[in-house]
Structure formats: structure tokens, C-alpha cells
PDB file of all heavy atoms in Angstrom:
ATOM      1  N   MET L   1     -13.971  25.113 -23.062  1.00 97.00           N
ATOM      2  CA  MET L   1     -13.845  26.171 -22.066  1.00 97.00           C
ATOM      3  C   MET L   1     -14.719  27.375 -22.428  1.00 97.00           C
ATOM      4  O   MET L   1     -15.347  27.976 -21.551  1.00 97.00           O
ATOM      5  CB  MET L   1     -12.382  26.574 -21.912  1.00 97.00           C
ATOM      6  CG  MET L   1     -11.534  25.455 -21.325  1.00 97.00           C
ATOM      7  SD  MET L   1      -9.760  25.798 -21.328  1.00 97.00           S
ATOM      8  CE  MET L   1      -9.651  26.885 -19.907  1.00 97.00           C
ATOM      9  N   GLU L   2     -14.776  27.713 -23.709  1.00 97.00           N
ATOM     10  CA  GLU L   2     -15.638  28.811 -24.153  1.00 97.00           C
ATOM     11  C   GLU L   2     -17.106  28.480 -23.896  1.00 97.00           C
ATOM     12  O   GLU L   2     -17.871  29.330 -23.423  1.00 97.00           O
ATOM     13  CB  GLU L   2     -15.429  29.086 -25.651  1.00 97.00           C
ATOM     14  CG  GLU L   2     -14.116  29.736 -25.990  1.00 97.00           C
ATOM     15  CD  GLU L   2     -13.815  29.742 -27.495  1.00 97.00           C
ATOM     16  OE1 GLU L   2     -14.724  29.438 -28.296  1.00 97.00           O
ATOM     17  OE2 GLU L   2     -12.659  30.040 -27.848  1.00 97.00           O
ATOM     18  N   GLU L   3     -17.492  27.242 -24.204  1.00 97.00           N
ATOM     19  CA  GLU L   3     -18.873  26.814 -23.961  1.00 97.00           C
ATOM     20  C   GLU L   3     -19.199  26.846 -22.469  1.00 97.00           C
ATOM     21  O   GLU L   3     -20.326  27.165 -22.083  1.00 97.00           O
ATOM     22  CB  GLU L   3     -19.113  25.419 -24.532  1.00 97.00           C
ATOM     23  CG  GLU L   3     -19.154  25.383 -26.040  1.00 97.00           C
ATOM     24  CD  GLU L   3     -19.378  23.976 -26.592  1.00 97.00           C
ATOM     25  OE1 GLU L   3     -19.436  23.011 -25.793  1.00 97.00           O
ATOM     26  OE2 GLU L   3     -19.494  23.857 -27.825  1.00 97.00           O
ATOM     27  N   ALA L   4     -18.239  26.508 -21.642  1.00 97.00           N
ATOM     28  CA  ALA L   4     -18.443  26.557 -20.197  1.00 97.00           C
ATOM     29  C   ALA L   4     -18.679  27.989 -19.733  1.00 97.00           C
ATOM     30  O   ALA L   4     -19.580  28.247 -18.928  1.00 97.00           O
ATOM     31  CB  ALA L   4     -17.244  25.959 -19.473  1.00 97.00           C
ATOM     32  N   ARG L   5     -17.882  28.923 -20.255  1.00 97.00           N
ATOM     33  CA  ARG L   5     -18.081  30.339 -19.891  1.00 97.00           C
ATOM     34  C   ARG L   5     -19.454  30.819 -20.338  1.00 97.00           C
ATOM     35  O   ARG L   5     -20.128  31.560 -19.612  1.00 97.00           O
ATOM     36  CB  ARG L   5     -16.975  31.209 -20.491  1.00 97.00           C
ATOM     37  CG  ARG L   5     -15.639  31.077 -19.775  1.00 97.00           C
ATOM     38  CD  ARG L   5     -14.639  32.140 -20.206  1.00 97.00           C
ATOM     39  NE  ARG L   5     -14.362  32.141 -21.622  1.00 97.00           N
ATOM     40  CZ  ARG L   5     -13.423  31.418 -22.224  1.00 97.00           C
ATOM     41  NH1 ARG L   5     -12.660  30.619 -21.502  1.00 97.00           N
ATOM     42  NH2 ARG L   5     -13.229  31.499 -23.519  1.00 97.00           N
ATOM     43  N   GLU L   6     -19.886  30.402 -21.529  1.00 97.00           N
ATOM     44  CA  GLU L   6     -21.222  30.771 -22.010  1.00 97.00           C
ATOM     45  C   GLU L   6     -22.310  30.214 -21.101  1.00 97.00           C
ATOM     46  O   GLU L   6     -23.288  30.902 -20.797  1.00 97.00           O
ATOM     47  CB  GLU L   6     -21.440  30.258 -23.443  1.00 97.00           C
ATOM     48  CG  GLU L   6     -20.644  30.989 -24.490  1.00 97.00           C
ATOM     49  CD  GLU L   6     -20.727  30.307 -25.863  1.00 97.00           C
ATOM     50  OE1 GLU L   6     -21.615  29.453 -26.065  1.00 97.00           O
ATOM     51  OE2 GLU L   6     -19.883  30.639 -26.724  1.00 97.00           O
ATOM     52  N   ALA L   7     -22.159  28.966 -20.673  1.00 97.00           N
ATOM     53  CA  ALA L   7     -23.144  28.347 -19.787  1.00 97.00           C
ATOM     54  C   ALA L   7     -23.192  29.049 -18.431  1.00 97.00           C
ATOM     55  O   ALA L   7     -24.250  29.120 -17.796  1.00 97.00           O
ATOM     56  CB  ALA L   7     -22.844  26.865 -19.604  1.00 97.00           C
ATOM     57  N   LEU L   8     -22.053  29.585 -18.000  1.00 97.00           N
ATOM     58  CA  LEU L   8     -21.985  30.268 -16.712  1.00 97.00           C
ATOM     59  C   LEU L   8     -22.547  31.685 -16.757  1.00 97.00           C
ATOM     60  O   LEU L   8     -22.874  32.242 -15.710  1.00 97.00           O
ATOM     61  CB  LEU L   8     -20.542  30.291 -16.204  1.00 97.00           C
ATOM     62  CG  LEU L   8     -20.055  28.978 -15.603  1.00 97.00           C
ATOM     63  CD1 LEU L   8     -18.540  28.921 -15.568  1.00 97.00           C
ATOM     64  CD2 LEU L   8     -20.639  28.774 -14.219  1.00 97.00           C
ATOM     65  N   GLU L   9     -22.672  32.251 -17.954  1.00 96.00           N
ATOM     66  CA  GLU L   9     -23.225  33.612 -18.068  1.00 96.00           C
ATOM     67  C   GLU L   9     -24.605  33.649 -17.426  1.00 96.00           C
ATOM     68  O   GLU L   9     -25.481  32.862 -17.745  1.00 96.00           O
ATOM     69  CB  GLU L   9     -23.304  34.041 -19.532  1.00 96.00           C
ATOM     70  CG  GLU L   9     -21.982  34.454 -20.117  1.00 96.00           C
ATOM     71  CD  GLU L   9     -22.106  34.869 -21.582  1.00 96.00           C
ATOM     72  OE1 GLU L   9     -23.197  35.255 -22.012  1.00 96.00           O
ATOM     73  OE2 GLU L   9     -21.085  34.779 -22.277  1.00 96.00           O
ATOM     74  N   GLY L  10     -24.785  34.582 -16.512  1.00 94.00           N
ATOM     75  CA  GLY L  10     -26.056  34.716 -15.812  1.00 94.00           C
ATOM     76  C   GLY L  10     -26.232  33.710 -14.685  1.00 94.00           C
ATOM     77  O   GLY L  10     -27.225  33.758 -13.957  1.00 94.00           O
ATOM     78  N   ASN L  11     -25.294  32.789 -14.533  1.00 95.00           N
ATOM     79  CA  ASN L  11     -25.371  31.761 -13.487  1.00 95.00           C
ATOM     80  C   ASN L  11     -24.194  31.804 -12.526  1.00 95.00           C
ATOM     81  O   ASN L  11     -24.041  30.896 -11.704  1.00 95.00           O
ATOM     82  CB  ASN L  11     -25.446  30.363 -14.122  1.00 95.00           C
ATOM     83  CG  ASN L  11     -26.758  30.111 -14.804  1.00 95.00           C
ATOM     84  OD1 ASN L  11     -27.810  30.280 -14.206  1.00 95.00           O
ATOM     85  ND2 ASN L  11     -26.701  29.715 -16.058  1.00 95.00           N
ATOM     86  N   TRP L  12     -23.352  32.821 -12.663  1.00 97.00           N
ATOM     87  CA  TRP L  12     -22.163  32.862 -11.818  1.00 97.00           C
ATOM     88  C   TRP L  12     -22.514  32.897 -10.336  1.00 97.00           C
ATOM     89  O   TRP L  12     -21.873  32.244  -9.521  1.00 97.00           O
ATOM     90  CB  TRP L  12     -21.276  34.061 -12.178  1.00 97.00           C
ATOM     91  CG  TRP L  12     -20.367  33.779 -13.320  1.00 97.00           C
ATOM     92  CD1 TRP L  12     -20.490  34.231 -14.599  1.00 97.00           C
ATOM     93  CD2 TRP L  12     -19.191  32.963 -13.302  1.00 97.00           C
ATOM     94  NE1 TRP L  12     -19.466  33.746 -15.374  1.00 97.00           N
ATOM     95  CE2 TRP L  12     -18.649  32.969 -14.606  1.00 97.00           C
ATOM     96  CE3 TRP L  12     -18.541  32.229 -12.326  1.00 97.00           C
ATOM     97  CZ2 TRP L  12     -17.492  32.270 -14.940  1.00 97.00           C
ATOM     98  CZ3 TRP L  12     -17.387  31.535 -12.656  1.00 97.00           C
ATOM     99  CH2 TRP L  12     -16.881  31.563 -13.955  1.00 97.00           C
ATOM    100  N   SER L  13     -23.540  33.661  -9.961  1.00 96.00           N
ATOM    101  CA  SER L  13     -23.857  33.789  -8.535  1.00 96.00           C
ATOM    102  C   SER L  13     -24.281  32.453  -7.940  1.00 96.00           C
ATOM    103  O   SER L  13     -23.825  32.081  -6.850  1.00 96.00           O
ATOM    104  CB  SER L  13     -24.929  34.857  -8.304  1.00 96.00           C
ATOM    105  OG  SER L  13     -26.102  34.543  -9.032  1.00 96.00           O
ATOM    106  N   VAL L  14     -25.138  31.707  -8.644  1.00 96.00           N
ATOM    107  CA  VAL L  14     -25.569  30.409  -8.114  1.00 96.00           C
ATOM    108  C   VAL L  14     -24.409  29.414  -8.144  1.00 96.00           C
ATOM    109  O   VAL L  14     -24.267  28.591  -7.228  1.00 96.00           O
ATOM    110  CB  VAL L  14     -26.819  29.871  -8.845  1.00 96.00           C
ATOM    111  CG1 VAL L  14     -26.511  29.444 -10.260  1.00 96.00           C
ATOM    112  CG2 VAL L  14     -27.436  28.716  -8.088  1.00 96.00           C
ATOM    113  N   ALA L  15     -23.545  29.489  -9.150  1.00 97.00           N
ATOM    114  CA  ALA L  15     -22.393  28.580  -9.243  1.00 97.00           C
ATOM    115  C   ALA L  15     -21.382  28.877  -8.139  1.00 97.00           C
ATOM    116  O   ALA L  15     -20.852  27.943  -7.512  1.00 97.00           O
ATOM    117  CB  ALA L  15     -21.734  28.698 -10.613  1.00 97.00           C
ATOM    118  N   VAL L  16     -21.121  30.147  -7.879  1.00 97.00           N
ATOM    119  CA  VAL L  16     -20.196  30.523  -6.802  1.00 97.00           C
ATOM    120  C   VAL L  16     -20.802  30.142  -5.452  1.00 97.00           C
ATOM    121  O   VAL L  16     -20.102  29.616  -4.573  1.00 97.00           O
ATOM    122  CB  VAL L  16     -19.861  32.031  -6.872  1.00 97.00           C
ATOM    123  CG1 VAL L  16     -19.149  32.503  -5.610  1.00 97.00           C
ATOM    124  CG2 VAL L  16     -19.009  32.323  -8.103  1.00 97.00           C
ATOM    125  N   GLY L  17     -22.110  30.358  -5.291  1.00 97.00           N
ATOM    126  CA  GLY L  17     -22.781  29.964  -4.046  1.00 97.00           C
ATOM    127  C   GLY L  17     -22.706  28.463  -3.820  1.00 97.00           C
ATOM    128  O   GLY L  17     -22.431  28.005  -2.703  1.00 97.00           O
ATOM    129  N   ALA L  18     -22.949  27.689  -4.872  1.00 97.00           N
ATOM    130  CA  ALA L  18     -22.874  26.226  -4.763  1.00 97.00           C
ATOM    131  C   ALA L  18     -21.454  25.792  -4.414  1.00 97.00           C
ATOM    132  O   ALA L  18     -21.255  24.883  -3.600  1.00 97.00           O
ATOM    133  CB  ALA L  18     -23.330  25.579  -6.064  1.00 97.00           C
ATOM    134  N   THR L  19     -20.481  26.442  -5.015  1.00 97.00           N
ATOM    135  CA  THR L  19     -19.082  26.106  -4.726  1.00 97.00           C
ATOM    136  C   THR L  19     -18.744  26.436  -3.278  1.00 97.00           C
ATOM    137  O   THR L  19     -18.066  25.652  -2.607  1.00 97.00           O
ATOM    138  CB  THR L  19     -18.143  26.865  -5.692  1.00 97.00           C
ATOM    139  OG1 THR L  19     -18.472  26.474  -7.030  1.00 97.00           O
ATOM    140  CG2 THR L  19     -16.692  26.569  -5.408  1.00 97.00           C
ATOM    141  N   ALA L  20     -19.228  27.579  -2.791  1.00 97.00           N
ATOM    142  CA  ALA L  20     -18.980  27.959  -1.397  1.00 97.00           C
ATOM    143  C   ALA L  20     -19.591  26.926  -0.447  1.00 97.00           C
ATOM    144  O   ALA L  20     -18.949  26.511   0.525  1.00 97.00           O
ATOM    145  CB  ALA L  20     -19.544  29.349  -1.122  1.00 97.00           C
ATOM    146  N   VAL L  21     -20.806  26.482  -0.748  1.00 97.00           N
ATOM    147  CA  VAL L  21     -21.456  25.465   0.091  1.00 97.00           C
ATOM    148  C   VAL L  21     -20.666  24.161   0.040  1.00 97.00           C
ATOM    149  O   VAL L  21     -20.393  23.547   1.077  1.00 97.00           O
ATOM    150  CB  VAL L  21     -22.918  25.242  -0.355  1.00 97.00           C
ATOM    151  CG1 VAL L  21     -23.520  24.015   0.309  1.00 97.00           C
ATOM    152  CG2 VAL L  21     -23.758  26.481  -0.070  1.00 97.00           C
ATOM    153  N   PHE L  22     -20.276  23.758  -1.161  1.00 97.00           N
ATOM    154  CA  PHE L  22     -19.501  22.522  -1.322  1.00 97.00           C
ATOM    155  C   PHE L  22     -18.187  22.598  -0.541  1.00 97.00           C
ATOM    156  O   PHE L  22     -17.827  21.661   0.180  1.00 97.00           O
ATOM    157  CB  PHE L  22     -19.227  22.260  -2.806  1.00 97.00           C
ATOM    158  CG  PHE L  22     -18.164  21.232  -3.046  1.00 97.00           C
ATOM    159  CD1 PHE L  22     -18.390  19.891  -2.772  1.00 97.00           C
ATOM    160  CD2 PHE L  22     -16.923  21.598  -3.535  1.00 97.00           C
ATOM    161  CE1 PHE L  22     -17.409  18.937  -2.980  1.00 97.00           C
ATOM    162  CE2 PHE L  22     -15.939  20.655  -3.757  1.00 97.00           C
ATOM    163  CZ  PHE L  22     -16.182  19.331  -3.469  1.00 97.00           C
ATOM    164  N   LEU L  23     -17.457  23.700  -0.688  1.00 95.00           N
ATOM    165  CA  LEU L  23     -16.170  23.838   0.006  1.00 95.00           C
ATOM    166  C   LEU L  23     -16.354  23.873   1.520  1.00 95.00           C
ATOM    167  O   LEU L  23     -15.561  23.280   2.263  1.00 95.00           O
ATOM    168  CB  LEU L  23     -15.431  25.082  -0.484  1.00 95.00           C
ATOM    169  CG  LEU L  23     -14.944  25.042  -1.933  1.00 95.00           C
ATOM    170  CD1 LEU L  23     -14.356  26.396  -2.349  1.00 95.00           C
ATOM    171  CD2 LEU L  23     -13.925  23.930  -2.147  1.00 95.00           C
ATOM    172  N   LEU L  24     -17.417  24.530   1.983  1.00 95.00           N
ATOM    173  CA  LEU L  24     -17.692  24.603   3.421  1.00 95.00           C
ATOM    174  C   LEU L  24     -18.027  23.216   3.981  1.00 95.00           C
ATOM    175  O   LEU L  24     -17.478  22.806   5.009  1.00 95.00           O
ATOM    176  CB  LEU L  24     -18.831  25.577   3.701  1.00 95.00           C
ATOM    177  CG  LEU L  24     -19.212  25.757   5.167  1.00 95.00           C
ATOM    178  CD1 LEU L  24     -18.045  26.366   5.943  1.00 95.00           C
ATOM    179  CD2 LEU L  24     -20.442  26.634   5.297  1.00 95.00           C
ATOM    180  N   VAL L  25     -18.914  22.489   3.290  1.00 96.00           N
ATOM    181  CA  VAL L  25     -19.279  21.144   3.742  1.00 96.00           C
ATOM    182  C   VAL L  25     -18.041  20.237   3.741  1.00 96.00           C
ATOM    183  O   VAL L  25     -17.811  19.486   4.685  1.00 96.00           O
ATOM    184  CB  VAL L  25     -20.402  20.545   2.861  1.00 96.00           C
ATOM    185  CG1 VAL L  25     -20.590  19.059   3.133  1.00 96.00           C
ATOM    186  CG2 VAL L  25     -21.707  21.303   3.079  1.00 96.00           C
ATOM    187  N   SER L  26     -17.239  20.333   2.684  1.00 93.00           N
ATOM    188  CA  SER L  26     -16.027  19.511   2.595  1.00 93.00           C
ATOM    189  C   SER L  26     -15.044  19.851   3.711  1.00 93.00           C
ATOM    190  O   SER L  26     -14.422  18.961   4.304  1.00 93.00           O
ATOM    191  CB  SER L  26     -15.352  19.701   1.237  1.00 93.00           C
ATOM    192  OG  SER L  26     -16.219  19.297   0.210  1.00 93.00           O
ATOM    193  N   PHE L  27     -14.903  21.138   4.012  1.00 93.00           N
ATOM    194  CA  PHE L  27     -13.992  21.577   5.077  1.00 93.00           C
ATOM    195  C   PHE L  27     -14.452  21.054   6.431  1.00 93.00           C
ATOM    196  O   PHE L  27     -13.665  20.485   7.190  1.00 93.00           O
ATOM    197  CB  PHE L  27     -13.895  23.106   5.099  1.00 93.00           C
ATOM    198  CG  PHE L  27     -13.054  23.640   6.218  1.00 93.00           C
ATOM    199  CD1 PHE L  27     -11.671  23.554   6.169  1.00 93.00           C
ATOM    200  CD2 PHE L  27     -13.643  24.219   7.330  1.00 93.00           C
ATOM    201  CE1 PHE L  27     -10.890  24.040   7.204  1.00 93.00           C
ATOM    202  CE2 PHE L  27     -12.871  24.695   8.376  1.00 93.00           C
ATOM    203  CZ  PHE L  27     -11.492  24.611   8.315  1.00 93.00           C
ATOM    204  N   VAL L  28     -15.737  21.235   6.735  1.00 95.00           N
ATOM    205  CA  VAL L  28     -16.273  20.787   8.022  1.00 95.00           C
ATOM    206  C   VAL L  28     -16.178  19.269   8.136  1.00 95.00           C
ATOM    207  O   VAL L  28     -15.769  18.735   9.163  1.00 95.00           O
ATOM    208  CB  VAL L  28     -17.727  21.276   8.216  1.00 95.00           C
ATOM    209  CG1 VAL L  28     -18.365  20.636   9.425  1.00 95.00           C
ATOM    210  CG2 VAL L  28     -17.759  22.794   8.330  1.00 95.00           C
ATOM    211  N   ALA L  29     -16.537  18.559   7.065  1.00 94.00           N
ATOM    212  CA  ALA L  29     -16.464  17.088   7.085  1.00 94.00           C
ATOM    213  C   ALA L  29     -15.024  16.626   7.262  1.00 94.00           C
ATOM    214  O   ALA L  29     -14.772  15.618   7.933  1.00 94.00           O
ATOM    215  CB  ALA L  29     -17.051  16.515   5.805  1.00 94.00           C
ATOM    216  N   GLY L  30     -14.092  17.361   6.686  1.00 91.00           N
ATOM    217  CA  GLY L  30     -12.682  17.004   6.793  1.00 91.00           C
ATOM    218  C   GLY L  30     -12.125  17.147   8.197  1.00 91.00           C
ATOM    219  O   GLY L  30     -11.086  16.573   8.531  1.00 91.00           O
ATOM    220  N   MET L  31     -12.813  17.895   9.040  1.00 93.00           N
ATOM    221  CA  MET L  31     -12.367  18.086  10.421  1.00 93.00           C
ATOM    222  C   MET L  31     -12.743  16.894  11.308  1.00 93.00           C
ATOM    223  O   MET L  31     -12.221  16.755  12.402  1.00 93.00           O
ATOM    224  CB  MET L  31     -12.957  19.379  10.983  1.00 93.00           C
ATOM    225  CG  MET L  31     -12.453  20.615  10.253  1.00 93.00           C
ATOM    226  SD  MET L  31     -13.218  22.118  10.827  1.00 93.00           S
ATOM    227  CE  MET L  31     -12.431  22.310  12.408  1.00 93.00           C
ATOM    228  N   VAL L  32     -13.667  16.068  10.827  1.00 90.00           N
ATOM    229  CA  VAL L  32     -14.111  14.888  11.570  1.00 90.00           C
ATOM    230  C   VAL L  32     -13.343  13.679  11.017  1.00 90.00           C
ATOM    231  O   VAL L  32     -13.234  13.541   9.792  1.00 90.00           O
ATOM    232  CB  VAL L  32     -15.632  14.683  11.387  1.00 90.00           C
ATOM    233  CG1 VAL L  32     -16.109  13.423  12.076  1.00 90.00           C
ATOM    234  CG2 VAL L  32     -16.396  15.904  11.856  1.00 90.00           C
ATOM    235  N   PRO L  33     -12.836  12.823  11.866  1.00 87.00           N
ATOM    236  CA  PRO L  33     -12.136  11.636  11.345  1.00 87.00           C
ATOM    237  C   PRO L  33     -13.018  10.853  10.368  1.00 87.00           C
ATOM    238  O   PRO L  33     -14.158  10.535  10.674  1.00 87.00           O
ATOM    239  CB  PRO L  33     -11.844  10.816  12.605  1.00 87.00           C
ATOM    240  CG  PRO L  33     -11.821  11.817  13.713  1.00 87.00           C
ATOM    241  CD  PRO L  33     -12.820  12.867  13.335  1.00 87.00           C
ATOM    242  N   LEU L  34     -12.485  10.590   9.200  1.00 88.00           N
ATOM    243  CA  LEU L  34     -13.162   9.895   8.093  1.00 88.00           C
ATOM    244  C   LEU L  34     -14.365  10.657   7.535  1.00 88.00           C
ATOM    245  O   LEU L  34     -15.054  10.157   6.651  1.00 88.00           O
ATOM    246  CB  LEU L  34     -13.599   8.477   8.507  1.00 88.00           C
ATOM    247  CG  LEU L  34     -12.483   7.524   8.899  1.00 88.00           C
ATOM    248  CD1 LEU L  34     -13.062   6.206   9.360  1.00 88.00           C
ATOM    249  CD2 LEU L  34     -11.513   7.301   7.761  1.00 88.00           C
ATOM    250  N   GLY L  35     -14.614  11.853   8.039  1.00 89.00           N
ATOM    251  CA  GLY L  35     -15.757  12.643   7.576  1.00 89.00           C
ATOM    252  C   GLY L  35     -15.659  13.019   6.110  1.00 89.00           C
ATOM    253  O   GLY L  35     -16.636  12.936   5.366  1.00 89.00           O
ATOM    254  N   GLY L  36     -14.466  13.424   5.693  1.00 89.00           N
ATOM    255  CA  GLY L  36     -14.269  13.791   4.293  1.00 89.00           C
ATOM    256  C   GLY L  36     -14.514  12.627   3.360  1.00 89.00           C
ATOM    257  O   GLY L  36     -15.100  12.776   2.290  1.00 89.00           O
ATOM    258  N   LEU L  37     -14.099  11.449   3.787  1.00 87.00           N
ATOM    259  CA  LEU L  37     -14.301  10.247   2.983  1.00 87.00           C
ATOM    260  C   LEU L  37     -15.781   9.880   2.923  1.00 87.00           C
ATOM    261  O   LEU L  37     -16.309   9.527   1.865  1.00 87.00           O
ATOM    262  CB  LEU L  37     -13.489   9.093   3.566  1.00 87.00           C
ATOM    263  CG  LEU L  37     -13.454   7.806   2.769  1.00 87.00           C
ATOM    264  CD1 LEU L  37     -12.807   8.054   1.404  1.00 87.00           C
ATOM    265  CD2 LEU L  37     -12.716   6.739   3.522  1.00 87.00           C
ATOM    266  N   ILE L  38     -16.456  10.016   4.041  1.00 92.00           N
ATOM    267  CA  ILE L  38     -17.868   9.632   4.110  1.00 92.00           C
ATOM    268  C   ILE L  38     -18.749  10.548   3.260  1.00 92.00           C
ATOM    269  O   ILE L  38     -19.650  10.081   2.574  1.00 92.00           O
ATOM    270  CB  ILE L  38     -18.345   9.599   5.580  1.00 92.00           C
ATOM    271  CG1 ILE L  38     -17.672   8.426   6.302  1.00 92.00           C
ATOM    272  CG2 ILE L  38     -19.857   9.484   5.671  1.00 92.00           C
ATOM    273  CD1 ILE L  38     -17.847   8.413   7.792  1.00 92.00           C
ATOM    274  N   VAL L  39     -18.482  11.849   3.283  1.00 95.00           N
ATOM    275  CA  VAL L  39     -19.321  12.755   2.481  1.00 95.00           C
ATOM    276  C   VAL L  39     -18.749  12.973   1.080  1.00 95.00           C
ATOM    277  O   VAL L  39     -19.405  13.566   0.230  1.00 95.00           O
ATOM    278  CB  VAL L  39     -19.546  14.126   3.175  1.00 95.00           C
ATOM    279  CG1 VAL L  39     -20.206  13.967   4.520  1.00 95.00           C
ATOM    280  CG2 VAL L  39     -18.283  14.936   3.261  1.00 95.00           C
ATOM    281  N   GLY L  40     -17.540  12.463   0.830  1.00 94.00           N
ATOM    282  CA  GLY L  40     -16.884  12.684  -0.463  1.00 94.00           C
ATOM    283  C   GLY L  40     -17.678  12.171  -1.645  1.00 94.00           C
ATOM    284  O   GLY L  40     -17.851  12.866  -2.644  1.00 94.00           O
ATOM    285  N   GLY L  41     -18.174  10.945  -1.558  1.00 95.00           N
ATOM    286  CA  GLY L  41     -18.939  10.354  -2.658  1.00 95.00           C
ATOM    287  C   GLY L  41     -20.245  11.074  -2.922  1.00 95.00           C
ATOM    288  O   GLY L  41     -20.514  11.496  -4.055  1.00 95.00           O
ATOM    289  N   PRO L  42     -21.077  11.244  -1.878  1.00 97.00           N
ATOM    290  CA  PRO L  42     -22.337  11.961  -2.108  1.00 97.00           C
ATOM    291  C   PRO L  42     -22.136  13.390  -2.619  1.00 97.00           C
ATOM    292  O   PRO L  42     -22.883  13.859  -3.475  1.00 97.00           O
ATOM    293  CB  PRO L  42     -22.999  11.962  -0.729  1.00 97.00           C
ATOM    294  CG  PRO L  42     -22.442  10.769  -0.039  1.00 97.00           C
ATOM    295  CD  PRO L  42     -21.028  10.649  -0.543  1.00 97.00           C
ATOM    296  N   MET L  43     -21.104  14.071  -2.118  1.00 97.00           N
ATOM    297  CA  MET L  43     -20.875  15.443  -2.575  1.00 97.00           C
ATOM    298  C   MET L  43     -20.344  15.461  -4.013  1.00 97.00           C
ATOM    299  O   MET L  43     -20.705  16.344  -4.798  1.00 97.00           O
ATOM    300  CB  MET L  43     -19.920  16.175  -1.630  1.00 97.00           C
ATOM    301  CG  MET L  43     -20.517  16.482  -0.264  1.00 97.00           C
ATOM    302  SD  MET L  43     -22.057  17.435  -0.302  1.00 97.00           S
ATOM    303  CE  MET L  43     -21.473  19.036  -0.845  1.00 97.00           C
ATOM    304  N   ALA L  44     -19.497  14.494  -4.380  1.00 97.00           N
ATOM    305  CA  ALA L  44     -19.018  14.417  -5.765  1.00 97.00           C
ATOM    306  C   ALA L  44     -20.185  14.161  -6.715  1.00 97.00           C
ATOM    307  O   ALA L  44     -20.253  14.742  -7.800  1.00 97.00           O
ATOM    308  CB  ALA L  44     -17.964  13.318  -5.902  1.00 97.00           C
ATOM    309  N   PHE L  45     -21.107  13.313  -6.301  1.00 98.00           N
ATOM    310  CA  PHE L  45     -22.325  13.056  -7.070  1.00 98.00           C
ATOM    311  C   PHE L  45     -23.126  14.357  -7.227  1.00 98.00           C
ATOM    312  O   PHE L  45     -23.583  14.697  -8.319  1.00 98.00           O
ATOM    313  CB  PHE L  45     -23.171  11.997  -6.358  1.00 98.00           C
ATOM    314  CG  PHE L  45     -24.459  11.649  -7.044  1.00 98.00           C
ATOM    315  CD1 PHE L  45     -24.546  10.519  -7.834  1.00 98.00           C
ATOM    316  CD2 PHE L  45     -25.599  12.430  -6.889  1.00 98.00           C
ATOM    317  CE1 PHE L  45     -25.732  10.169  -8.468  1.00 98.00           C
ATOM    318  CE2 PHE L  45     -26.787  12.108  -7.515  1.00 98.00           C
ATOM    319  CZ  PHE L  45     -26.864  10.974  -8.306  1.00 98.00           C
TER     320      PHE L  45
END
């Protein structure tokens, strides 16, 4: 966990931005039947 915090130093903005994009894509895909399942694998990758 300490090493993770060190790796995030100076990268929080890009990490938070990536998380926001991921959560938004997951939310939108989840609104479509089977959408969450279809994009789940590629997004997890």
C-alpha cells in the first residue's frame, strides 16, 4: 500500500481521470442490456 501511494505521487490527476472515465463507461454500458458484460472484459484489461 505504501508503494502504491508512492507510485501515485504526481500521478493522482491522471489516475483519478482514468477512474472517472472507467466509471462513466461502465455506468453507461450498464444501462444497455448486457452492455456491462460486453464491455466488462475489455475495460478490466
